[in-house]
Amino acid sequence: MTSTASAGVTIAELPPTTRIALRIADPAGIGFGLPTTVGARSAEGARTALCLGPDEWLLEAPEAERDALLASLSGIAAPHSAVEVSDREITYALEGPAVLDLLATGCPRDLARMPVGSGARTVFDTAQVVLVREADDRFHLTVWRSFAPHVRALLDIAERELAAGL
């Protein structure tokens, strides 16, 4: 886990987590609640479900709950796809009073309008990412592992520019 702090922003790589990409046309009656509004996020204990599209969710849980999460999905009778993507992605925690300025250097969205507790698939520079707003001054940025060095380098450059007052 790496961390840097300056310019009112902390960037930290979070420990691995279990991630499942779930696609299902009709989530009713699958045994646990999924948010149905795109961008909405729900939590059940340490597990979260982020609605990325009308039939797509990103489920996350601590690694210790991996088997239980997979077992809960195995009983779904409706046609669906549940793919474990845990090793595909890295998540960075971005926190501090300048976090919106930091993210604005590479993300075209107006993140100031993103409600706390919501998330969205977007881009940072040219890399697809998933951003979740954890608090007014804290985001989680999840990026594919192959793009992580590029995104991290851009975050570090932006952090140094903010520290220099640019």
Side-chain angles (χ1 to χ4, degrees):
M1 184 165 24
T2 59
S3 177
T4 60
S6 68
V9 180
T10 299
I11 303 170
E13 184 176 327
L14 295 178
T17 186
T18 298
R19 292 184 183 92
I20 306 292
L22 176 66
R23 304 288 304 252
I24 186 167
D26 183 11
I30 67 166
F32 53 88
L34 293 174
T36 55
T37 303
V38 175
R41 187 169 168 235
S42 64
E44 199 172 293
R47 296 181 187 180
T48 62
L50 173 62
C51 184
L52 292 172
D55 68 346
E56 181 180 7
W57 290 265
L58 178 62
L59 310 179
E60 291 188 78
E63 282 191 316
E65 292 186 29
R66 176 188 176 275
D67 292 339
L69 178 59
L70 292 173
S72 71
L73 297 172
S74 68
I76 298 174
H80 69 284
S81 169
V83 179
E84 184 174 0
V85 295
S86 304
D87 292 332
R88 178 182 77 182
E89 299 165 333
I90 291 176
T91 300
Y92 297 108
L94 312 172
E95 185 171 11
V99 71
L100 290 173
D101 294 329
L102 177 80
L103 287 169
T105 64
C107 184
R109 295 181 69 109
D110 182 0
L111 297 174
R113 295 179 51 177
M114 180 184 239
V116 170
S118 68
R121 179 182 288 131
T122 187
V123 294
F124 190 84
D125 188 50
T126 57
Q128 177 180 290
V129 300
V130 173
L131 275 176
V132 174
R133 190 165 198 176
E134 298 286 333
D136 286 337
D137 64 348
R138 187 175 66 247
F139 286 81
H140 284 182
L141 182 148
T142 301
V143 61
W144 282 28
R145 185 175 300 279
S146 58
F147 288 97
H150 171 68
V151 169
R152 180 58 194 249
L154 292 173
L155 290 169
D156 289 342
I157 289 167
E159 182 183 37
R160 287 192 304 271
E161 288 175 349
L162 289 171
L166 301 176

